[in-house]
Amino acid sequence: MRGPSCRGLLCLVALASFTESLAAGQRCPHKLKESVNPPRGWAKHSIPPAEHNIVLRIALPQPNFGVLEKHLYEVSDPYHPRYGAHLSKEEVDGLVAPHQESIDAVDEWLMSYDIKETDFVRSPAKDWVTLTLPVRLVEEMLNTTYHVWKHEGSGDSIVRTTSYSLPENLHEHIDLVQPTTMFGQFKEMKSTIVWSDDTEAPSQSKNVASIHNPATGVPVDASCNKTITIKCLQQLYNAVGFTPTQLSKNTIGITGYLEEFANLQDLQSFYAEQRPDALNSSFEFISVKGGLNNQTLSEAGAEANLDVQFAFGLSHPIAGTFYSTAGRPPFKPDVGTPTNTNEPYADWLDFVLSHPNTPLTVSTSYGDHEQTVPESYARRTCASFAQLGARGVSLMFSSGDGGVGDNDANPATQTCFTNDGRNATRFIPLFPASCPFVTSVGGTQNVPEIAVSRFFSGGGFSDYFPRPWYQDKVVEKYLKALPKGTYEGLFNPAGRGIPDVAAQGDRFRIWLRGVPRSIGGTSASAPTFAGIVALLNDVRLSHGQPPLGFLNPLLYSKAVSGFNDITIGHNSGCGTTGFNCTEGWDPVTGLGTPNFGKLKKLVL
């Protein structure tokens, strides 16, 4: 076991072992690890109780992640000989495992505070350590001071610090520690629900006028310009009459957070109206970190119901799974031991990465402003999504509903400002949609389709992640066509472009708390696209081929002609009209919306 060295400094006493030095009260000096400016809108409120518990997550380095990334791109590239040769859980764990010396160094550091191995949990690859500690001890370990911070707009409160330090010898063995500097407001990506008293089912029959859809040639019921149903999506995306057959192999999952519960009674009402052949079918419920399954009708969640009803309704009879992940920021200042205030998708990732079998298609309709998530944490979380992609999982994330920022017309409440202390105006992309290892889904409306306009499809360019190779051709074409100087300084033209694709995202008819409601947002677009991906997986599986896995290298190459190009619309935000839709890829609707009839041939 290698004892830690105080890099650049001489320890005062030569010690036989690190453990003995700790017993003697000697520790290497702390050195600043990370420091941030508090995001706009957050202000110090109070001091948390000394015994307030923090669920601390420590990330150890993944020295072979570059090798994993190489595998990921090879098995995801339809023109590579290894296409579809996804890795096993064990193979992925081996590629992200830290060096033993990092494990030893972190263990010894924890032991110096009387924290035993039985007091913490390791991830399967041993690249994360999770433990619960009182804030007074965390402050000592990280040489920092935590405060209760309050958000001026929402009133939310969280326990955070703006900087933390680690013993100098540990900097090479620890990538990050959270929650420390993260001020994100993890939220669902949906626009305001339309609370209509009209409960009459939309009329869709042979007697109703239809609209010619030039993108596919398939007629679409005229009612789809007022209300989106499963039948509308099947018509719009050329999937009418397709029935999945690979039911023992294919799966689709929805992630639920922030105490959003998918109600079974509402699902049956939805099926009775829009998918009668699915009546009396259900989904598998999985609790993550104590996530609840409250089936009281009055507790049904609009987001959870929307995601489940349309993803599972569109992909029926493919087996569905709903994950309920516990943890709901914010912290309540008058409670000593609140629920976990970490970003809950980290807990979901821990869970699914520890299991060998995960749904082949997963949709998530939640996210944060990218700049409120520390870059170190965003990169590590993105790396976890890469692990799932390498294992053959397709991940969809909503691109957001605020256009290029927050779509707030009031300058006093806009969040389109940098967090670097300059408060400079800046477009604000969303994370995890900005991660290059997931598929980001924007929103459309109407027949023929245009970019959604009641809210605005999230899109733009990441400030954290550089443009991935699979986007080079289409994004460069888009940027070259922009008039010189357009939004100069407001976005990063070298960043990963958002979104990748789009789907309908407004006027979705769901059942909520016993009655039909109309709802919109890219939180409708992501599960819709996920439903199409599940059908495409069925096509591949029925031909004896592996599932699609990480989609983007395929979408931007062999499958690019399988999308309906959206050329009308824009995504306002930050006091601007945002970017415009145009021929080919654009940072509003990506490559466009899916044409299942074409894609089912292109994916083989």
Side-chain angles (χ1 to χ4, degrees):
M1 181 181 295
R2 189 186 87 170
S5 61
C6 302
R7 191 177 300 275
L9 294 171
L10 294 176
C11 290
L12 297 177
V13 182
L15 302 168
S17 72
F18 181 46
T19 304
E20 292 174 4
S21 75
L22 298 175
Q26 303 289 332
R27 290 194 182 102
C28 292
H30 279 69
K31 178 182 177 182
L32 182 67
K33 179 66 174 178
E34 187 169 41
S35 178
V36 302
N37 291 294
R40 183 182 176 90
W42 288 98
K44 286 183 182 179
H45 177 268
S46 59
I47 302 295
E51 298 306 313
H52 164 75
N53 281 339
I54 293 177
V55 180
L56 204 65
R57 293 172 54 82
I58 303 168
L60 282 64
Q62 300 171 329
N64 294 318
F65 179 76
V67 179
L68 173 73
E69 186 176 19
K70 181 175 183 292
H71 282 291
L72 171 66
Y73 280 129
E74 288 180 355
V75 302
S76 307
D77 181 354
Y79 298 114
H80 195 280
R82 292 187 60 213
Y83 181 57
H86 302 119
L87 306 184
S88 67
K89 171 189 176 298
E90 291 73 22
E91 289 171 326
V92 168
D93 286 349
L95 287 170
V96 298
H99 290 316
Q100 186 62 43
E101 60 184 354
S102 293
I103 298 173
D104 294 341
V106 172
D107 285 359
E108 290 175 348
W109 175 55
L110 296 176
M111 287 170 56
S112 75
Y113 292 92
D114 293 325
I115 299 169
K116 304 176 181 61
E117 188 163 357
T118 54
D119 297 327
F120 55 83
V121 176
R122 300 185 197 274
S123 63
K126 299 184 178 181
D127 56 333
W128 284 95
V129 170
T130 304
L131 64 166
T132 302
L133 299 172
V135 67
R136 58 171 176 78
L137 180 56
V138 177
E139 289 180 333
E140 180 183 352
M141 294 170 65
L142 302 181
N143 191 28
T144 190
T145 300
Y146 279 82
H147 288 84
V148 177
W149 291 77
K150 189 170 184 178
H151 190 260
E152 297 168 356
S154 65
D156 290 351
S157 297
I158 56 176
V159 177
R160 294 293 188 268
T161 181
T162 55
S163 66
Y164 69 95
S165 300
L166 291 170
E168 188 173 11
N169 66 290
L170 284 176
H171 277 237
E172 63 180 308
H173 299 299
I174 293 178
D175 277 351
L176 61 98
V177 180
Q178 289 292 349
T180 48
T181 56
M182 181 181 294
F183 285 80
Q185 289 182 289
F186 194 57
K187 55 187 178 294
E188 60 268 34
M189 296 293 108
K190 67 173 182 292
S191 64
T192 304
I193 301 171
V194 177
W195 298 103
S196 172
D197 292 330
D198 180 12
T199 59
E200 182 179 350
S203 176
Q204 291 189 329
S205 69
K206 294 180 180 179
N207 298 323
V208 175
S210 62
I211 304 171
H212 174 70
N213 184 5
T216 63
V218 177
V220 178
D221 288 344
S223 62
C224 298
N225 263 326
K226 295 181 179 179
T227 304
I228 292 295
T229 63
I230 293 294
K231 186 175 181 181
C232 288
L233 297 175
Q234 291 171 330
Q235 293 173 345
L236 271 166
Y237 301 139
N238 198 10
V240 175
F242 181 82
T243 302
T245 60
Q246 302 303 300
L247 306 185
S248 64
K249 303 175 183 178
N250 203 358
T251 46
I252 181 172
I254 293 294
T255 61
Y257 301 103
L258 306 183
E259 298 170 11
E260 280 273 348
F261 307 117
N263 186 268
L264 296 173
Q265 182 179 329
D266 281 336
L267 179 64
Q268 295 307 312
S269 297
F270 176 84
Y271 281 162
E273 179 184 272
Q274 297 192 34
R275 191 83 205 229
D277 59 323
L279 264 174
N280 300 319
S281 68
S282 186
F283 54 84
E284 180 183 8
F285 171 85
I286 295 180
S287 172
V288 179
K289 294 283 186 176
L292 301 178
N293 185 22
N294 190 334
Q295 286 298 310
T296 303
L297 191 61
S298 62
E299 296 296 319
E303 181 64 66
N305 273 10
L306 166 65
D307 294 354
V308 161
Q309 289 170 19
F310 274 88
F312 298 164
L314 191 57
S315 61
H316 178 77
I318 296 170
T321 298
F322 179 77
Y323 295 94
S324 176
T325 302
R328 182 183 177 89
F331 161 73
K332 303 297 183 185
D334 58 341
V335 178
T337 306
T339 54
N340 185 1
T341 59
N342 280 312
E343 293 288 17
Y345 52 68
D347 289 330
W348 179 79
L349 281 166
D350 283 348
F351 180 87
V352 296
L353 287 171
S354 69
H355 287 72
N357 298 314
T358 301
L360 299 180
T361 305
V362 179
S363 177
T364 300
S365 295
Y366 296 77
D368 291 312
H369 289 153
E370 185 183 67
Q371 68 171 1
T372 66
V373 180
E375 185 172 353
S376 59
Y377 185 83
R379 290 189 178 279
R380 274 302 293 259
T381 304
C382 188
S384 295
F385 295 134
Q387 293 177 52
L388 286 173
R391 287 171 50 176
V393 179
S394 301
L395 298 170
M396 265 58 65
F397 279 86
S398 302
S399 69
D401 299 342
V404 292
D406 55 14
N407 194 28
D408 190 338
N410 183 355
T413 54
Q414 281 184 10
T415 57
C416 299
F417 299 92
T418 60
N419 284 344
D420 55 8
R422 297 182 299 123
N423 279 331
T425 303
R426 186 78 170 177
F427 291 165
I428 307 297
L430 253 65
F431 178 81
S434 63
C435 171
F437 305 130
V438 306
T439 300
S440 173
V441 188
T444 62
Q445 66 180 32
N446 296 350
V447 187
E449 290 183 277
I450 62 173
V452 74
S453 61
R454 186 161 65 88
F455 57 92
F456 291 94
S457 178
F461 300 85
S462 172
D463 285 319
Y464 286 176
F465 300 100
R467 183 194 312 144
W469 61 268
Y470 57 75
Q471 282 192 322
D472 278 342
K473 183 177 179 181
V474 295
V475 173
E476 286 178 1
K477 178 183 177 183
Y478 179 84
L479 292 173
K480 286 179 180 178
L482 275 181
K484 188 175 181 179
T486 300
Y487 301 140
E488 187 172 354
L490 296 184
F491 73 98
N492 173 24
R496 183 262 204 269
I498 311 162
D500 299 299
V501 294
Q504 284 278 317
D506 202 8
R507 302 188 289 257
F508 275 55
R509 182 180 173 89
I510 67 168
W511 280 76
L512 179 65
R513 302 174 187 175
V515 294
R517 300 297 190 198
S518 179
I519 189 171
T522 53
S523 60
S525 308
T528 294
F529 191 81
I532 295 295
V533 172
L535 299 182
L536 292 172
N537 268 334
D538 186 88
V539 172
R540 284 185 58 82
L541 294 168
S542 67
H543 285 78
Q545 297 183 8
L548 290 165
F550 174 42
L551 294 169
N552 295 3
L554 168 72
L555 303 184
Y556 284 89
S557 59
K558 184 180 178 183
V560 71
S561 63
F563 289 88
N564 311 315
D565 195 10
I566 310 301
T567 60
I568 298 175
H570 59 91
N571 56 354
S572 294
C574 302
T576 75
T577 57
F579 296 106
N580 289 324
C581 292
T582 188
E583 183 179 343
W585 181 90
D586 54 66
V588 187
T589 58
L591 298 170
T593 59
N595 183 330
F596 178 76
K598 290 184 177 180
L599 287 170
K600 69 180 181 180
K601 300 174 183 177
L602 294 170
V603 299
L604 295 176

